[in-house]
């Protein structure tokens, strides 16, 4: 994963066209599409991606998540590696930090401020649009222990019933600690738990607490007031898992509760995704506070993945059912198209931008018609790719330029550098390249997705 420090690039200084929160199938697809839009005749957007986990791919990294049809399947890892290949191709940075707040700033021309991480590592980034693709919950490092102590509920209740019974049996017989981690809806599993305990004749004390519930005060009050909780309160504990630890297998978890951290020795955790499918764990503070959520806490979107906050889009599991990789990817792509339209029309005031191969317009294009054009007098150009890629593209174009001059020229085109008319004038004089020629070069770089309008 790209880090803030890699390549010495300070992403905080750059205003991205779109910031994508979440590097699952929805977020990765959105970021790639924002940059690609279409292969020919479209400005690429600059994109940055954030993920709370060190590993990009979201739930698509876990065994059960496959892109399937009745007669084909893309296995876990396969899909993610294809997406990450494109992320790399486009030099899209992925920042391994948890986003905590998204604020629409009035002072900075209505840009979004994205606050990530807390404490010493806390940082702010800026973007003209935001795509929320946070899935059902922020991941930390559970992938490292997947099938080595971390399990996930899937394949429906028949299967979950069998899993719970097997895990309780193993815990009781082998003196291991097993917990089910979910939210208030994990109480729906109580009958499976009771029938396993009773059927296996396990001592309640030996396996309690069995549930770890990620709930805030409001939910805790509701849960503790309920009949089930009152009868079986010894089975429940509260807190949020923020880290999984162990040498070869899971040995312990770090749990946060009311701002305090505690460590618990645990051999097996069943992540109850059925409960997160009913209520996602979404804790990003959004300002201005707007009615963008459903009562269960999912983000409400229109057909274009837009929310009630202009410039803020959402895609994938955070928008509620149906949960699938294909839907996550499709909605991520939709969100990117909508963000593109918003940024080009409202932020960059581009009149003729084109998102589809054949513009559905009833008009006769002139002989000099171009879908995109670059006017060096008005536009600032943002370099979006590394200079070695720029070099590959520019070299054939500037084959008559001396090597030393060519290298000097590359300094103007280093990644996330904004090149404006002053730079173009300098380049023009230094290398004796007419501005019109430079304009053609920049158009070429835009076609190659190496640069975009700033
Ligand atoms: C066990 C299981 C089996 C499944 N099997 C299938 C299947 O076979 N086929 C299928 O099509 N679908 C399957 N699914 C569903 C599929 O995995 C999801 O629908 C899909 O991964 C959703 O993609 P997403 O990008 O919306 O969310 P996710 O894949 O959940 O990705 C969201 C990302 O956002 C990050 N994030 C969250 N909050 C923050 C934050 N505050 N800051 C930074 N990052 C954050 C998370 O760490 C995560 O990486 C399965 C799901 C599960 C749980």
């Amino acid at each position: 994963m790209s880090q803030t420090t890699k390549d010495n690039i300070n992403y905080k200084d750059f205003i991205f066209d779109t910031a994508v929160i979440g590097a699952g199938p929805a977020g990765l697809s959105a970021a790639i599409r924002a940059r690609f839009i279409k292969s020919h005749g479209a400005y690429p957007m600059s994109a940055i991606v954030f993920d709370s986990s060190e590993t990009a791919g979201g739930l698509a990294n876990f065994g059960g998540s496959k892109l399937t049809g009745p007669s084909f399947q893309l296995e876990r890892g396969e899909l993610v590696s294809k997406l990450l290949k494109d992320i790399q191709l486009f030099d899209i940075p992925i920042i391994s930090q948890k986003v905590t707040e998204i604020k629409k700033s009035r002072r900075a021309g209505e840009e979004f401020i994205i606050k990530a991480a807390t404490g010493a590592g806390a940082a702010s980034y800026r973007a003209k649009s935001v795509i929320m693709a946070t899935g059902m919950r922020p991941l930390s490092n559970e992938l490292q222990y997947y099938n080595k102590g971390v399990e996930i509920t899937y394949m429906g209740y028949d299967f979950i019933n069998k899993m719970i019974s097997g895990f309780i049996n193993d815990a009781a017989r082998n003196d291991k600690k097993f917990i089910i981690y979910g939210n208030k809806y994990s109480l729906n599993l109580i009958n499976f738990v009771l029938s396993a305990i009773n059927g296996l004749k396990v001592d309640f004390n030996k396996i309690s607490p069995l549930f770890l519930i990620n709930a805030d005060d409001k939910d805790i009050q509701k849960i503790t007031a309920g009949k089930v909780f009152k009868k079986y309160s010894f089975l429940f504990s509260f807190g949020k898992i923020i880290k999984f630890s162990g040498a070869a297998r899971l040995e312990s978890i770090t749990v946060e509760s009311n701002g305090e951290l505690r460590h618990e020795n645990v051999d097996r955790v069943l992540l109850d995704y059925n409960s997160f499918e009913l209520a996602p764990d979404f804790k990003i503070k959004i300002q201005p506070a707007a009615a963008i959520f459903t009562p269960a806490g999912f983000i409400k979107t229109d057909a274009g993945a837009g929310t009630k906050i202009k410039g803020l889009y959402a895609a994938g599991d955070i928008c509620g059912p149906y949960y699938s990789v294909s839907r996550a990817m499709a909605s991520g792509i939709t969100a990117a198209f909508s963000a593109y339209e918003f940024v080009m029309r409202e932020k960059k005031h581009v009149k003729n931008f084109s998102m589809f191969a054949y513009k559905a317009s009833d008009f006769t294009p002139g002989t000099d018609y171009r879908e995109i054009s670059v006017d060096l007098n008005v536009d600032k150009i943002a370099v979006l790719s590394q200079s070695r890629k720029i070099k590959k593209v520019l070299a054939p174009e500037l084959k008559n330029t001396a090597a030393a001059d060519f290298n000097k020229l590359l300094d103007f085109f280093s990644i996330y550098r904004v090149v404006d008319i002053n730079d173009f004038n300098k380049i023009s004089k230094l290398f004796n390249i007419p501005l019109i020629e430079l304009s053609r070069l920049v158009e070429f770089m835009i076609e190659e997705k190496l640069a975009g309008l700033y």
Side-chain angles (χ1 to χ4, degrees), residues 194-212:
L194 293 178
S195 78
I197 291 173
N198 294 331
L200 297 162
K201 302 199 175 11
V202 173
D203 180 355
F204 273 107
N205 289 323
K206 218 173 163 191
I207 50 142
S208 297
L210 190 87
F211 288 98
L212 174 61

Side-chain angles (χ1 to χ4, degrees), residues 1 12 14 21 37-38 51 53 149 160 164 178 187 213 215 225 230 281 298 341 371 377 404 408 417 442 445:
M1 245 185 195
K12 290 174 219 132
F14 191 85
I21 323 300
I37 296 295
K38 68 185 180 94
D51 204 288
S53 157
I160 294 170
I164 290 176
F178 162 56
L187 267 69
I213 304 293
K230 282 198 171 129
D281 176 13
F298 293 101
E341 230 178 318
E371 288 197 330
N377 285 312
K408 260 196 247 164
R417 170 119 204 259
V442 168
M445 284 167 61

Side-chain angles (χ1 to χ4, degrees), residues 15 17 19 99-115 124-132 284-290 292 306-313 339 342-343 346-347:
I15 304 172
D17 290 329
V99 170
T100 54
E101 188 178 338
I102 296 193
K103 193 173 165 186
K104 200 169 189 185
S105 149
R106 293 194 182 279
R107 271 183 306 166
E110 293 270 314
E111 277 146 19
F112 288 93
I113 310 284
I114 296 107
K115 293 195 177 169
S124 288
Y125 302 83
R126 290 178 294 165
K128 292 177 197 296
S129 67
V130 170
I131 298 173
M132 209 64 96
I284 301 174
K285 189 173 165 194
I286 298 186
Q287 293 207 59
I292 64 164
T307 69
K308 280 204 170 141
I309 300 177
K310 227 175 172 189
L312 183 86
Y313 302 86
F342 169 75
V343 169
E346 305 215 8
K347 297 286 167 189

Side-chain angles (χ1 to χ4, degrees), residues 22 25-26 51-52 58-59 64-66 99 134-135 138-139 152 154 316-317 324-325:
D51 204 288
S52 47
L59 285 179
S65 299
K66 299 167 185 164
V99 170
T134 49
L139 296 166
I152 297 188
Y154 71 113
D317 282 0
S324 80
V325 170

Side-chain angles (χ1 to χ4, degrees), residues 196-453:
I197 291 173
N198 294 331
L200 297 162
K201 302 199 175 11
V202 173
D203 180 355
F204 273 107
N205 289 323
K206 218 173 163 191
I207 50 142
S208 297
L210 190 87
F211 288 98
L212 174 61
I213 304 293
N214 171 354
D216 57 26
D217 287 350
K218 198 171 62 190
D219 277 336
I220 292 175
Q221 278 165 25
K222 272 194 212 146
I223 293 167
T224 52
K227 265 195 209 155
V228 173
F229 181 83
K230 282 198 171 129
K231 196 163 174 198
Y232 299 104
S233 59
F234 50 88
L235 280 177
F236 296 91
S237 61
F238 294 95
K240 184 188 281 266
I241 304 182
I242 57 164
K243 199 176 164 203
F244 298 78
S245 308
R249 281 186 62 86
L250 180 68
E251 289 167 16
S252 67
I253 50 174
T254 309
V255 178
E256 189 203 311
S257 176
N258 296 321
E260 309 234 318
L261 298 182
R262 64 176 195 264
H263 297 279
E264 290 183 15
N265 291 335
V266 178
D267 299 287
R268 183 175 272 138
V269 174
L270 176 62
L271 301 173
D272 177 17
Y273 264 91
N274 275 54
S275 70
F276 295 115
E277 283 181 0
L278 293 168
D281 176 13
F282 182 90
K283 292 286 176 305
I284 301 174
K285 189 173 165 194
I286 298 186
Q287 293 207 59
I292 64 164
F293 297 101
T294 67
F298 293 101
I299 299 182
K300 275 190 278 192
T301 53
D302 56 29
T307 69
K308 280 204 170 141
I309 300 177
K310 227 175 172 189
L312 183 86
Y313 302 86
D317 282 0
I318 190 54
C319 303
Y322 296 100
Y323 310 103
S324 80
V325 170
S326 45
R327 186 267 193 152
M329 291 176 73
S331 61
I333 290 167
T334 303
F337 277 134
S338 297
Y340 184 75
E341 230 178 318
F342 169 75
V343 169
M344 290 301 150
R345 184 169 290 135
E346 305 215 8
K347 297 286 167 189
K348 302 196 170 174
H349 310 290
V350 176
K351 286 196 193 82
N352 282 322
F353 60 88
S354 177
M355 293 158 58
F356 299 98
Y358 307 104
K359 216 172 178 179
S361 302
D362 182 15
F363 80 115
T364 309
T367 47
D368 60 348
Y369 179 79
R370 312 269 332 240
E371 288 197 330
I372 54 169
S373 64
V374 180
D375 178 355
L376 295 184
N377 285 312
V378 292
D379 294 323
K380 284 183 175 182
I381 307 299
V383 181
L384 302 179
S385 232
Q386 287 165 357
S387 50
R388 62 185 152 81
K389 285 189 199 156
I390 301 269
K391 191 173 174 177
K392 215 170 132 192
V393 166
L394 295 189
E397 294 290 308
L398 295 167
K399 50 181 177 294
N400 297 328
T401 310
D405 283 349
F406 186 67
N407 285 336
K408 260 196 247 164
L409 181 75
L410 285 181
D411 289 344
F412 286 93
F413 295 109
S414 50
I415 190 165
Y416 292 111
R417 170 119 204 259
V418 179
V419 192
D420 64 14
I421 188 63
N422 294 324
D423 295 301
F424 290 123
N425 282 329
K426 271 189 221 159
I427 299 170
S428 171
K429 278 195 193 115
L430 266 174
F431 307 109
N432 201 17
I433 307 171
L435 275 175
I436 183 84
E437 186 95 346
L438 266 179
S439 168
R440 205 179 55 77
L441 253 178
V442 168
E443 268 192 46
F444 185 57
M445 284 167 61
I446 287 171
E447 279 296 342
E448 293 295 312
K449 315 290 179 200
L450 301 172
L453 301 184

